Amino acid sequence: MIVVNTPEQAQRVLERLKAGYDFASLAKEKSIDPTADSGGYMGRMDPASLRPELREALKGVSPGQISAVTRIPSGYAVLNVLPESKAAEIENAPKARLQALSAFGSVIKSPGISGFGDANDALLRFPKVQGWERNPVLGCQMRAQSLAAATERVEKLFAPSNRQALDQQAPLDVMQEHVALGELYSYQGRMDAAIEQYEEAYHIASERVPRAVPLMEFTLGVAHLHRSDMVNEAFSAPGEKCLFPMRPGNAYKNTADAQKAIEHFSKCLEYRPQSLDSRWFMNLAYATLGAYPEGVPAKYRIPLTAFESRESVDRFVDVAPGAGVDTFSMAGSVIVDDFENNGRLDILTSSMDMCQPLRYFHNNGDGTFTDRAREAGLAKQLGGLNIIQTDYNNDGCTDFLVLRGGWEFPETLSLLKNNCDGTFTDVTAASGLGDTLVASQTAVWADINNDGLLDLFVGNESGPNQLFLNKGDGTFANISRSAGVDKPGQIKSVVAADYDNDGFVDFYVTDYLGENHLYHNNHDNTFTDVAAQAGVAGLGPSFVAWFFDYDNCGLPDLFVTSYFVSVDESMRTYLGLPHNAGTLKLYKNLGNGTFKDVTVETGLDKVFMPMGANFGDIDNDGFLDIYLGNGNPSYASVLPHVLLRNHEGKYFVDVTTSSGTGELHKGHGVAFADLERRGYEDIVTETGGATPGDRHTLRLFANTASGNDWINIKLVGVKSNRPAIGARIKVTVKNEGKEARAIYRTVGSGGSFGASPFEQHIGLGKSAQIESIEVDWPGSGTHQSFEGVAKNQFWEIREDSKQVKHLERKLVPFHLGSAQGGAGTEQRSLGESSKVHQ
């Protein structure tokens, strides 16, 4: 069962279900019934035991069918009668899973304030031209027209000519219409108009619907805080204004909205003194005034110590404006890689805005970038929540895939072939990848049968997963069903690794609404789900995932994030309070086909709200660190991004504050890359929310660290796939005064949202001497070993070569200046690494 507040909401739910949306997904997202956390499942019910109106609604409804909308005391309900097989599947879930679902019912969810759902509902209900889902230009037009029509429809309800009819409606219905109009305005970023509607709803609630007053207080507080960010250019020209904790001198100049927000959150805390989300937003509002923490009332103050870094690292500096990477975008993705084969790393970004084209930032080689999207033939490639690079045809030029529709509705994906001349061609139709429309934000390229061709696994939200076998002639065959991976779900991440060292790549899939899957490769183009046996099925909603060797043991370990839309739970992490939600998870590979949960011992038993994330080595110590971009479409989901430093493979430490990377606004695509070619990885993060009113500039955090050694290795496959995806590198290094140690890397683009370069940057630590470099190639099984390779250099290794090739790379420092809290360019860029090049 799904229960919502109004008949209009129920009708929109029904329309979504008829359009193919998963019932359990909608129940979890929309239902106000206590069964929401279990996907609306009520259990096996005798119809005679149900309320009369439910019994009536179920007449003539067969297993697998959905009822019409029916009114019940708690709202408006839609029911789904399950087939026996589906009921058994739910009931036979592991007991721990069912217990976890029950426990998660106490998680305090953050309200949805942004109009994201309203705008999507408007598009689904709008009469659309045929084929709009396959044509991004038509999709843009349908989005704009449906939003305008929905806004106009609700505005007409409040026209003076409709006053008499409005007076005859129930106060709750009128209040909700004001909220609905406010949400549509919020979606568009028209916060003045939105606040006016929220205030109208608040007045009705104060006089006629008192139970709604606390929610309207909170809504108004969030809306004012969002408008405060807008009028103070925190989204468009953030600098250090929206890095938390805010440093002195970054207080907002226009303070009226922050003051109003404080008033509303103060009243919220009078209603609910223990409300951690209201408490956080009050502290945040004071921070924008330059009055945190001292100015916050003591009983509501969150101490600064809750956010302090336990270890100090060099501070990153945002150089995006000076570098010419001038995106102002909704949620999207980023790829950093060498698309032009000139040794310089370019930046490609996308946006889920259905009307925004891709941006292709050509690296000028002088610390700046120029957008060449139009010249590259990408001007009509609109939208795309995620993008992932590949070389599907092994021609040595980097292609990429655009994924669309995640969280929303099925759309076309796009495969863009690199023409090796600075331009791209859309080959989706010719490749066969676009035959079926899907709602997806995740995919991974991997060679499943070791034939040297990259195959594609797409994780879907609107239907079964898809596995495409690369036929080697530019086309793909859908083998999802025969491969045994065509399971439905709300898939948020698909990642690949040969976790059991049997020479064949396996897949891990996270499901926001169900158990996760570990698909073991059976060596015959089929897979078996062994997640339960391996101990990685997970508990509760999951999102980001990746394989990486966090402790340099030579085996791919598994990192998985939970995803609870709850500021309350994240504040519990900072305040050291017990959690109701599931935490991040780190599974250590035991080498026998199973994993051990080492979350607690590694300090990762935390709850954040990560959407975009990736890993890299921020200080060149040889251990991989984690950057999490937090958020949710709601304007009430504002949390700092998080940088977790890997302490020698033993535990992770939050170094967000000392690093200066605690961006407050929505984080999506994340990539680690040495853009300056100086031997340290910078962090690129495509920042922005799911609405036009939550756009943000891209952040390019330049790394100011120095002192440790490194090596950069580009692999070129011959028998194996050309970009060497899945190849393993082992660097044996001896640091002064220490025993020799091994550092392991596997070629790939990193995390599950945003893509780092295929070239592998490997930190070596201080005073390092490389004893050997070993490479194991996927497909061919070739093993190579090299000695006498110099550190602090760029090298290329071909699969068929017995020697390493030195690559010339020009040092191109960003111009940081000296007032950004980091060292100046001359101080940090002309040190040890440049001496090596002499």
Side-chain angles (χ1 to χ4, degrees):
M1 179 168 66
I2 295 174
V3 182
V4 292
N5 287 312
T6 69
E8 291 79 14
Q9 291 173 334
Q11 189 60 37
R12 290 196 288 270
V13 164
L14 194 58
E15 290 170 359
R16 280 187 161 191
L17 293 170
K18 290 178 179 179
Y21 273 67
D22 179 68
F23 194 99
S25 303
L26 279 178
K28 195 169 184 67
E29 179 185 351
K30 301 290 187 183
S31 184
I32 61 174
D33 191 75
T35 60
D37 287 302
S38 59
Y41 186 58
M42 300 170 66
R44 296 172 184 267
M45 309 289 290
D46 180 351
S49 68
L50 296 172
R51 297 185 56 85
E53 53 267 55
L54 294 181
R55 291 202 303 270
E56 185 67 25
L58 287 172
K59 286 183 178 178
V61 180
S62 301
Q65 294 183 336
I66 298 167
S67 76
V69 175
T70 185
R71 177 71 184 267
I72 61 175
S74 59
Y76 295 82
V78 177
L79 297 105
N80 180 17
V81 180
L82 299 180
E84 172 64 32
S85 59
K86 184 66 175 177
E89 180 183 320
I90 295 173
E91 293 167 351
N92 290 333
K95 181 178 290 186
R97 168 77 182 167
L98 297 176
Q99 290 173 342
L101 284 172
S102 175
F104 297 156
S106 56
V107 172
I108 299 174
K109 298 179 181 178
S110 298
I113 304 169
S114 70
F116 176 70
D118 298 77
N120 283 344
D121 287 344
L123 179 55
L124 288 172
R125 298 172 65 185
F126 189 72
K128 296 173 283 294
V129 298
Q130 187 174 4
W132 70 275
E133 315 99 316
R134 295 186 178 277
N135 186 325
V137 175
L138 287 178
C140 167
Q141 294 172 1
M142 295 301 97
R143 169 67 86 183
Q145 292 173 18
S146 64
L147 183 60
T151 305
E152 182 181 8
R153 182 190 66 81
V154 187
E155 286 175 336
K156 285 182 177 179
L157 292 177
F158 299 110
S161 59
N162 197 45
R163 188 70 206 179
Q164 185 175 357
L166 202 63
D167 290 341
Q168 294 176 356
Q169 292 188 31
L172 177 61
D173 292 340
V174 178
M175 185 195 80
Q176 289 177 331
E177 291 292 359
H178 279 295
V179 171
L181 184 55
E183 288 289 279
L184 289 169
Y185 288 146
S186 289
Y187 178 85
Q188 300 166 68
R190 299 167 59 185
M191 295 311 297
D192 290 352
I195 289 172
E196 183 178 339
Q197 293 302 315
Y198 293 147
E199 286 177 342
E200 290 288 345
Y202 174 76
H203 292 318
I204 295 172
S206 299
E207 296 176 359
R208 308 289 298 275
V209 194
R211 69 179 184 275
V213 169
L215 177 58
M216 292 314 305
E217 291 280 13
F218 187 83
T219 299
L220 279 164
V222 168
H224 277 290
L225 201 56
H226 193 79
R227 184 167 69 175
S228 179
D229 282 346
M230 295 178 76
V231 299
N232 286 283
E233 299 183 323
F235 297 123
S236 58
E240 293 202 343
K241 288 198 290 283
C242 51
L243 298 181
F244 192 85
M246 296 174 181
R247 303 173 97 188
N250 287 294
Y252 288 2
K253 294 181 180 179
N254 300 300
T255 62
D257 278 296
Q259 295 284 5
K260 290 288 291 184
I262 289 171
E263 292 177 18
H264 287 293
F265 292 127
S266 296
K267 292 179 181 178
C268 288
L269 288 163
E270 291 176 9
Y271 294 116
R272 290 194 300 134
Q274 303 305 315
S275 170
L276 293 181
D277 48 3
S278 295
R279 188 176 165 193
W280 157 244
F281 280 116
M282 174 184 279
N283 281 257
L284 186 56
Y286 274 104
T288 67
L289 300 176
Y292 172 80
E294 293 82 3
V296 183
K299 60 181 178 180
Y300 298 135
R301 184 182 304 146
I302 298 176
L304 183 60
T305 53
F307 304 99
E308 288 179 346
S309 297
R310 302 296 185 264
E311 293 181 2
S312 181
V313 298
D314 291 281
R315 192 171 180 86
F316 287 75
V317 181
D318 182 15
V319 299
V325 190
D326 59 343
T327 67
F328 187 62
S329 173
M330 288 164 57
S333 186
V334 61
I335 299 172
V336 180
D337 217 322
D338 181 1
F339 284 98
E340 301 172 23
N341 286 335
N342 58 11
R344 301 195 292 261
L345 297 175
D346 310 298
I347 300 174
L348 182 69
T349 69
S350 69
S351 170
M352 70 182 294
D353 181 349
M354 295 173 69
C355 295
Q356 182 168 324
L358 301 178
R359 304 288 299 277
Y360 174 56
F361 293 99
H362 160 80
N363 190 326
N364 298 322
D366 60 0
T368 68
F369 297 79
T370 300
D371 186 4
R372 289 189 179 173
R374 185 170 295 278
E375 294 87 337
L378 300 175
K380 292 185 178 180
Q381 289 296 330
L382 308 180
L385 188 54
N386 199 4
I387 48 178
I388 306 165
Q389 81 270 42
T390 184
D391 184 356
Y392 76 95
N393 57 359
N394 285 336
D395 65 354
C397 300
T398 303
D399 319 299
F400 66 95
L401 181 77
V402 183
L403 295 158
R404 299 183 176 92
W407 294 114
E408 296 185 306
F409 30 74
E411 295 180 75
T412 185
L413 54 72
S414 297
L415 178 62
L416 280 301
K417 175 183 176 293
N418 191 330
N419 299 320
C420 304
D421 61 0
T423 68
F424 297 84
T425 299
D426 189 334
V427 295
T428 311
S431 71
L433 292 179
D435 293 347
T436 303
L437 293 174
V438 297
S440 177
Q441 64 172 47
T442 182
V444 67
W445 295 90
D447 182 359
I448 68 168
N449 55 2
N450 293 334
D451 64 353
L453 300 169
L454 288 171
D455 311 300
L456 176 65
F457 192 127
V458 180
N460 293 324
E461 299 178 11
S462 59
N465 296 321
Q466 296 169 304
L467 179 59
F468 295 97
L469 190 69
N470 191 331
K471 296 165 66 176
D473 59 359
T475 67
F476 295 79
N478 189 337
I479 63 167
S480 314
R481 182 177 296 275
S482 63
V485 299
D486 60 334
K487 303 296 187 294
Q490 191 164 5
I491 306 307
K492 288 297 168 188
S493 207
V494 180
V495 290
D498 179 8
Y499 77 92
D500 58 352
N501 281 339
D502 67 353
F504 285 79
V505 69
D506 313 293
F507 296 107
Y508 188 75
V509 179
T510 65
D511 189 341
Y512 181 59
L513 296 173
E515 291 188 348
N516 301 331
H517 308 280
L518 177 60
Y519 288 114
H520 176 261
N521 193 324
N522 299 324
H523 308 178
D524 59 0
N525 289 353
T526 70
F527 294 79
T528 301
D529 186 359
V530 297
Q533 301 94 300
V536 293
L539 293 172
S542 302
F543 202 131
V544 173
W546 58 64
F547 287 99
F548 72 155
D549 189 352
Y550 82 94
D551 56 355
N552 283 324
C553 68
L555 296 168
D557 308 301
L558 180 60
F559 175 73
V560 186
T561 74
S562 60
Y563 191 72
F564 290 85
V565 183
S566 173
V567 169
D568 178 276
E569 288 295 322
S570 292
M571 286 301 109
R572 288 176 176 274
T573 289
Y574 287 112
L575 294 169
L577 300 174
H579 287 294
N580 299 307
T583 67
L584 307 175
K585 288 293 180 185
L586 180 60
Y587 299 105
K588 178 177 173 59
N589 193 329
L590 299 180
N592 60 1
T594 68
F595 294 77
K596 177 186 177 183
D597 186 341
V598 294
T599 305
V600 175
E601 63 194 76
T602 55
L604 291 176
D605 51 335
K606 307 172 185 295
V607 179
F608 298 113
M609 210 183 294
M611 295 179 292
N614 215 323
F615 58 88
D617 186 352
I618 62 170
D619 50 7
N620 281 350
D621 66 351
F623 293 94
L624 293 168
D625 313 301
I626 296 171
Y627 188 64
L628 304 175
N630 292 311
N632 170 266
S634 175
Y635 299 164
S637 296
V638 177
L639 293 166
H641 299 188
V642 177
L643 182 59
L644 300 168
R645 179 177 180 267
N646 186 338
H647 190 100
E648 298 180 346
K650 300 172 183 175
Y651 55 85
F652 289 80
V653 180
D654 188 338
V655 294
T656 307
T657 298
S658 65
S659 67
T661 57
E663 166 63 55
L664 280 163
H665 300 119
K666 311 303 170 57
H668 275 268
V670 176
F672 283 77
D674 179 13
L675 285 159
E676 299 172 275
R677 296 317 204 182
R678 75 181 196 90
Y680 275 84
E681 289 186 299
D682 311 300
I683 301 175
V684 185
T685 172
E686 173 75 353
T687 308
T691 71
D694 211 9
R695 297 178 186 274
H696 199 283
T697 59
L698 177 140
R699 291 288 206 172
L700 201 175
F701 290 115
N703 194 334
T704 67
S706 61
N708 284 347
D709 295 318
W710 54 274
I711 191 170
N712 187 294
I713 300 175
K714 177 183 178 181
L715 297 184
V716 179
V718 179
K719 293 182 178 179
S720 302
N721 67 86
R722 187 69 175 266
I725 292 175
R728 295 188 178 186
I729 302 170
K730 176 184 177 182
V731 179
T732 302
V733 63
K734 191 174 187 344
N735 300 101
E736 186 176 359
K738 297 183 179 181
E739 296 292 324
R741 61 177 174 134
I743 302 170
Y744 296 88
R745 295 291 183 269
T746 300
V747 176
S749 58
S752 57
F753 213 134
S756 302
F758 287 143
E759 65 178 41
Q760 293 298 296
H761 173 90
I762 304 172
L764 304 175
K766 187 176 291 293
S767 303
Q769 178 182 345
I770 298 174
E771 295 190 348
S772 66
I773 296 176
E774 299 173 63
V775 182
D776 287 288
W777 292 85
S780 68
T782 301
H783 176 83
Q784 295 171 309
S785 183
F786 306 93
E787 296 180 359
V789 181
K791 64 184 180 181
N792 299 341
Q793 298 277 354
F794 296 84
W795 300 98
E796 177 182 287
I797 299 176
R798 285 179 57 93
E799 186 177 9
D800 59 353
S801 177
K802 295 182 179 180
Q803 296 180 332
V804 297
K805 176 183 178 182
H806 181 259
L807 300 175
E808 293 293 338
R809 296 289 185 257
K810 178 185 176 183
L811 183 67
V812 284
F814 296 122
H815 302 290
L816 305 187
S818 57
Q820 299 294 324
T825 301
E826 293 79 6
Q827 292 175 292
R828 67 156 186 129
S829 295
L830 302 179
E832 184 176 353
S833 62
S834 64
K835 294 177 183 177
V836 173
H837 289 275
Q838 293 176 356

